[in-house]
Amino acid sequence: MCEKDEEIGIMYPDGGTPEDPEEDPKILELRKIISANPTLDGFAEYLVSIPQQYKEYPSRNQTGFVRYGDVKPGSKVLIAASNLHDKEIINALVKALKKKGASVVDVLVLDDGEDRELTYYDEIDRIIRTEPWWIKPRWYDYQERVLNYAKDNGYDLVIHGRGGPIPKTNAKGELLPYNFEAFPWQSKDAFLSKSTIFPTRLNYLINIKTWKMIYDLGKGGKVRLTDPEGTELEFSLNERYYDRTLDERGGFGPRPALGHLFGHPTPPIIAEEDAIGVIAGTTSHLTRPFPQIRIHVERGRIEKIEGGGPYGEAWRKLHEETLSIKYPEFPDKGLFWLWEMAIGTNPKVRRPSNVLMLSGTNEVERSRSGVIHVGFGTRWRGESERWAAAHSIPFGHLHVHLLFPTYEIKTRDGKEIRVIEDGHLTVLDDPEVRELAKKYGDPDELLKEDWIPKIPGINAPGRYEDYARDPAEWIKRNG
């Protein structure tokens, strides 16, 4: 596989390696056994049996791409976990890594506070900051002190963090002398989901073919995004977004952000940005599900926030406080510009049963194929965040999830491409994807969404208005 970003392209090349380790008969048999009878030990053994096939992709932190099989006899491994990670998951990984031959597996537990029910303010409190990320990291982000501790103590593999691209350097710009892999599962529900053992090469093909629709065929086209919870938005995939330096691409470039495909260009936002319409929903990453929020967007910037209960109230206040600030990556003043429109690609992701707790959260659902999470604010560790942190100015971005989106592109030559239809990623029906899926099992089973949320007035009995007044209560009763 090519190493330079400019040469990666958006076509399906060799899938990552000449031979796919997940096609090995022993691995296929292991997947068959643990799929029928999921166990922590079985899933952990699977993860440490598969080497990382996509090391050149810093965005491989999504479930289904995380693999720990590069550990070798004599390896020294550090697992840096939150106290909210289920201890039984950590114990199963330690056991599997030692069985694989690791001579040392140390566990560093980071205090994220007592587990409790989510509040309406958790997302803002834990994502919007004024201090540099190496002092106050985003809640589920990797931590600078862990990177430096691992470097100073000679670890070969570090397992840490749930959000943001896989780091290659620390804050000083020093290259990390070890392999780094994410730890995206806090609850046993999330870990034992079939999304964890979803075949990586199949996942890769799903990503590459979807990205071809957006980045290649969509260039210069017009996107229409809708969702039955109230979203109606249009914007252009302006060709100026394609002519940028490697650092500016931030996931919107020839090399896609695996499992987190950007349906809208990332910052810097150009002056010609034309996104207009409404984003509406009732869930986000870290906040208790809230009464329906309606976010009005004009030329890419939030102009008005309606509803949202306490979450919407707090967001409105922050919006007003930052309206007069000119951030480096935006064409005009204000913090809350649209940029993140991340598309999940793994059909086996499920909402965990403890979704209303800090140890669960709705963040998990964002990775399911066809779900979009929309983010307004600064790009993760981009120029604006560096600038804002240096001046003690608020930075970060807040989210709304779209659970049944339809994302379609009208190309420059008038063709229509439907990337997502009613929450279903259309490439899952692609003949090439289905053919590859046969190598790992029944394509009908592998490519079917394991979880589809139930919302009254959309795909469940009842009125949407009743659900939207208190979605947390509905989710508590129905999942």
Side-chain angles (χ1 to χ4, degrees):
M1 190 154 202
C2 301
E3 291 296 322
K4 293 182 180 179
D5 188 74
E6 289 79 2
E7 297 172 0
I8 288 293
I10 49 177
M11 297 169 62
Y12 180 57
D14 59 17
T17 55
E19 295 180 0
D20 182 1
E22 290 181 273
E23 290 181 34
D24 183 291
K26 292 180 181 178
I27 299 299
L28 288 172
E29 182 62 22
L30 177 58
R31 182 191 291 109
K32 183 178 178 182
I33 292 169
I34 62 179
S35 293
N37 182 30
T39 65
L40 295 173
D41 286 345
F43 272 52
E45 181 183 345
Y46 189 90
L47 292 176
V48 303
S49 299
I50 313 296
Q52 178 53 254
Q53 300 179 63
Y54 301 101
K55 288 183 180 179
E56 68 271 36
Y57 285 84
S59 55
R60 63 180 187 275
N61 61 350
Q62 299 293 317
T63 183
F65 285 108
V66 176
R67 298 292 185 261
Y68 304 138
D70 288 311
V71 66
K72 297 177 175 60
S75 291
K76 187 176 179 182
V77 181
L78 175 65
I79 300 175
S82 163
N83 64 299
L84 299 176
H85 278 92
D86 192 292
K87 291 180 177 62
E88 291 184 51
I89 300 174
I90 298 171
N91 293 339
L93 286 174
V94 170
K95 181 178 175 182
L97 288 161
K98 287 185 174 179
K99 184 178 178 181
K100 183 76 183 292
S103 59
V104 174
V105 183
D106 290 333
V107 177
L108 182 63
V109 178
L110 308 170
D111 186 6
D112 275 327
E114 185 178 353
D115 196 18
R116 56 167 173 76
E117 278 204 8
L118 294 167
T119 74
Y120 291 115
Y121 306 103
D122 280 319
E123 179 140 338
I124 291 175
D125 290 345
R126 292 170 181 265
I127 292 182
I128 301 297
R129 291 148 292 148
T130 57
E131 302 95 333
W133 59 79
W134 55 90
I135 295 174
K136 186 178 180 181
R138 191 170 60 179
W139 180 50
Y140 48 79
D141 199 356
Y142 60 78
Q143 297 193 18
E144 192 72 17
R145 57 178 171 155
V146 172
L147 303 187
N148 293 329
Y149 177 83
K151 177 177 177 290
D152 294 342
N153 288 276
Y155 288 95
D156 302 297
L157 171 65
V158 175
I159 297 172
H160 173 51
R162 288 162 47 203
I166 299 295
K168 292 184 178 181
T169 65
N170 61 16
K172 297 178 182 177
E174 299 168 332
L175 285 172
L176 304 181
Y178 47 77
N179 287 327
F180 188 107
E181 295 295 337
F183 192 3
W185 318 276
Q186 285 196 152
S187 69
K188 282 187 280 191
D189 266 10
F191 185 71
L192 291 175
S193 160
K194 291 179 184 178
S195 63
T196 301
I197 59 171
F198 192 73
T200 50
R201 185 175 292 191
L202 178 60
N203 207 351
Y204 178 79
L205 180 59
I206 289 167
N207 276 260
I208 290 299
K209 291 186 77 72
T210 302
W211 193 234
K212 181 180 178 67
M213 294 183 199
I214 297 168
Y215 189 79
D216 186 7
L217 303 178
K219 183 178 181 180
K222 188 87 171 179
V223 172
R224 177 169 169 75
L225 176 68
T226 58
D227 183 276
E229 287 201 74
T231 291
E232 290 189 25
L233 189 82
E234 292 187 347
F235 59 90
S236 301
L237 294 172
N238 192 297
E239 295 188 32
R240 281 195 58 200
Y241 280 120
Y242 292 73
D243 185 24
R244 300 193 290 179
T245 66
L246 183 61
D247 181 61
E248 288 177 326
R249 290 174 181 173
F252 193 83
R255 190 198 306 262
L258 298 177
H260 189 280
L261 300 176
F262 287 105
H264 183 281
T266 55
I269 301 301
I270 61 175
E272 295 87 349
E273 173 61 45
D274 61 357
I276 185 167
V278 176
I279 295 291
T282 50
T283 60
S284 63
H285 285 13
L286 307 177
T287 284
R288 179 181 178 85
F290 41 85
Q292 187 204 43
I293 196 168
R294 291 179 59 83
I295 297 175
H296 296 260
V297 179
E298 291 183 23
R299 297 187 64 187
R301 183 174 60 185
I302 290 181
E303 295 300 320
K304 184 170 65 172
I305 301 170
E306 293 180 313
Y311 179 54
E313 247 177 72
W315 194 341
R316 277 189 292 275
K317 182 179 178 183
L318 190 57
H319 174 54
E320 291 165 4
E321 290 173 353
T322 55
L323 267 177
S324 62
I325 301 171
K326 172 68 174 66
Y327 291 79
E329 293 178 292
F330 300 145
D332 205 343
K333 294 178 181 179
L335 169 58
F336 292 112
W337 290 74
L338 168 69
W339 69 272
E340 187 177 34
M341 192 171 286
I343 298 168
T345 63
N346 191 323
K348 297 304 179 186
V349 169
R350 304 180 64 92
R351 178 185 278 170
S353 58
N354 63 339
V355 64
L356 299 181
M357 303 294 291
L358 272 176
S359 56
T361 80
N362 272 299
E363 184 218 0
V364 176
E365 72 185 28
R366 68 179 181 148
S367 299
R368 205 218 68 192
S369 56
V371 170
I372 293 178
H373 64 274
V374 181
F376 297 88
T378 52
R379 176 168 65 97
W380 184 91
R381 299 197 178 186
E383 180 189 356
S384 291
E385 298 207 343
R386 291 191 291 270
W387 172 83
H391 294 84
S392 300
I393 289 171
F395 66 89
H397 59 273
L398 301 177
H399 306 92
V400 177
H401 293 185
L402 310 184
L403 302 179
F404 299 94
T406 294
Y407 179 105
E408 48 194 347
I409 305 169
K410 188 169 185 178
T411 67
R412 287 172 297 189
D413 57 3
K415 294 179 182 176
E416 292 188 358
I417 301 172
R418 188 158 287 192
V419 179
I420 306 170
E421 183 169 9
D422 299 327
H424 176 71
L425 196 65
T426 60
V427 81
L428 296 177
D429 307 317
D430 182 275
E432 187 181 359
V433 171
R434 290 185 58 82
E435 188 62 31
L436 181 60
K438 291 177 183 177
K439 293 186 176 184
Y440 311 100
D442 179 358
D444 288 338
E445 191 283 326
L446 266 175
L447 299 172
K448 181 184 70 174
E449 297 95 345
D450 270 8
W451 167 76
I452 297 174
K454 297 293 184 184
I455 295 183
I458 294 178
N459 65 345
R463 297 183 343 127
Y464 177 77
E465 292 77 9
D466 296 334
Y467 160 84
R469 276 195 290 271
D470 190 0
E473 187 58 36
W474 166 269
I475 291 170
K476 184 182 291 187
R477 295 195 311 267
N478 300 281

